[in-house]
Amino acid sequence: MSPVPSPLRARVLLVLAVLLATLTPTAPTVAAGNQKTARPGAEVVAVTQVADRQVDLSVRSTALGGRTVTVRLLTPDGWNPYDRHHRQHWPTLWLLHGCCGDYTSWTSMTDVAETDSLRDVLVVMPEAGWNGWYSDWWNHGEGGDPAWETFHTKELRHLLERDWGAGTDRVVAGLSMGGQGALLYAARHPGMFRATAAYSGSAHPLLNDESTDRIMGFFAGQGNDPLRVWGDPVVQRRIWQAHDPFHLAERLRPIPVYLSCGDGTTGPLDPPGATSALEADFNRQNHALAAELKRVGARHVTTNFYGPGTHGWAYWERELHASLPMLLEALGTEGD
């Protein structure tokens, strides 16, 4: 393993890496009337070193309508952005943020950047929208922007593996909305992830009317039309089921799955009197998914339904550490 470059050297290497990327030949633009359309896919348009081992990639995405979003990388020891010849690739942990968060959430709210067991892993923390729900939105049958699932599982994955040292051994974890995303991506893309973990995840949004109404409320955030995401939960029932981890349990059966959740009452990491109806709902959803995984014969399911606890970062940081041994074992690396 090569030595860690100094901060100055790292910044220089990043600049050189971006310059090389911009010099790579690209397909010409294709004229369509008076419009010009760039080559489909994603491209890095800027790179920022934000802290030791933390690099932000500004990525322009066709799946997101040509918009530019940010992806944070927590890089392993010896990671070299100047290695454009793919000499070394790293096992990869995708960490997905929750609703109302962004690509900075995991590094700003937890100690993930100081976790020694991740120094041999490339950690990918992508932007997923304030309430993007890790989905290609239905948009009343029109599809198109935003297509978060396509951006993450196709465009970004290919970009990282081609140019930024990501290997093909991957695991995925997330909290709340991102917990649902971690389960969805593992189920909907068989073979892409070797294991998945969901902390207080939306694991069965079709459990009952309360669960469905709650997620529709999230869909309506920021003045959004809630039917744009998956459509109507009755009329577009098949689309909803295709994005409900409970209905995808059979696809999760072959891989290790970690589920954790509190029950919404005041727990040891909460201020006095704190409660969470959202956590209580997700707790019921996670119990339902765990039972369904057992029913379909999943043999590698770990649950930590820890009772008292609300919907908060103190629990998610703890559960990340609790699940890391399983995730890193799936990657073939050593945990703490």
Side-chain angles (χ1 to χ4, degrees):
M1 187 175 296
S2 58
V4 182
S6 68
L8 176 60
R9 176 176 168 78
R11 286 194 293 271
V12 171
L13 290 176
L14 281 168
V15 171
L16 289 173
V18 174
L19 286 173
L20 283 174
T22 60
L23 291 173
T24 301
T26 59
T29 57
V30 178
N34 293 325
Q35 302 295 322
K36 290 186 177 181
T37 304
R39 181 181 62 175
E43 60 177 338
V44 173
V45 296
V47 181
T48 306
Q49 178 111 28
V50 294
D52 182 37
R53 298 176 52 231
Q54 295 183 47
V55 175
D56 285 355
L57 306 180
S58 298
V59 181
R60 184 162 52 220
S61 163
T62 301
L64 301 178
R67 289 182 290 122
T68 297
V69 296
T70 307
V71 177
R72 176 157 293 179
L73 303 181
L74 178 63
T75 62
D77 290 343
W79 182 83
N80 182 357
Y82 191 59
D83 181 8
R84 311 297 292 184
H85 300 290
H86 320 296
R87 286 186 290 266
Q88 187 163 9
H89 289 79
W90 305 87
T92 305
L93 165 64
W94 289 61
L95 275 182
L96 309 183
H97 69 77
C99 176
C100 321
D102 61 21
Y103 68 96
T104 68
S105 295
W106 277 103
T107 51
S108 63
M109 300 300 294
T110 76
D111 63 355
V112 63
E114 290 76 48
T115 301
D116 286 341
S117 60
L118 293 176
R119 298 191 74 93
D120 292 324
V121 176
L122 178 64
V123 182
V124 178
M125 294 162 281
E127 179 60 53
W130 188 87
N131 60 348
W133 292 93
Y134 297 91
S135 302
D136 290 357
W137 285 23
W138 181 61
N139 282 327
H140 299 280
E142 296 296 323
D145 180 31
W148 290 107
E149 182 175 9
T150 294
F151 170 59
H152 292 144
T153 64
K154 294 183 180 178
E155 292 183 347
L156 181 60
R157 174 170 65 90
H158 293 154
L159 181 70
L160 294 176
E161 291 173 7
R162 186 189 68 207
D163 295 333
W164 299 93
T168 57
D169 293 332
R170 316 173 199 91
V171 293
V172 60
L175 66 103
S176 194
M177 177 182 81
Q180 179 174 288
L183 296 169
L184 286 181
Y185 284 2
R188 288 170 58 87
H189 301 272
M192 181 172 173
F193 294 103
R194 293 175 174 265
T196 184
Y199 321 123
S200 303
S202 174
H204 187 11
L206 286 170
L207 174 64
N208 54 34
D209 288 345
E210 178 189 351
S211 299
T212 302
D213 289 345
R214 179 168 279 110
I215 198 171
M216 285 289 281
F218 282 114
F219 289 173
Q222 295 187 317
N224 182 57
D225 173 3
L227 298 181
R228 287 184 60 203
V229 186
W230 299 336
D232 183 275
V234 176
V235 180
Q236 279 77 44
R237 189 77 170 185
R238 290 180 62 183
I239 297 175
W240 276 72
Q241 290 176 339
H243 293 87
D244 185 326
F246 177 89
H247 291 281
L248 302 174
E250 178 65 36
R251 298 188 187 183
L252 291 169
R253 184 174 58 84
I255 65 171
V257 176
Y258 184 96
L259 302 174
S260 67
C261 202
D263 64 11
T265 63
T266 309
L269 305 180
D270 294 308
T275 61
S276 172
L278 174 63
E279 190 76 359
D281 179 17
F282 284 0
N283 187 56
R284 293 187 289 271
Q285 294 185 31
N286 275 271
H287 274 87
L289 175 57
E292 182 67 2
L293 286 167
K294 181 178 180 180
R295 188 190 70 80
V296 300
R299 300 177 60 186
H300 307 288
V301 179
T302 302
T303 60
N304 185 19
F305 300 139
Y306 42 85
T310 62
H311 204 67
W313 277 102
Y315 295 102
W316 303 329
E317 179 180 73
R318 185 187 70 185
E319 292 306 303
L320 171 65
H321 286 283
S323 62
L324 273 179
M326 180 207 82
L327 294 169
L328 295 177
E329 181 180 2
L331 283 177
T333 63
E334 294 183 1
D336 289 329

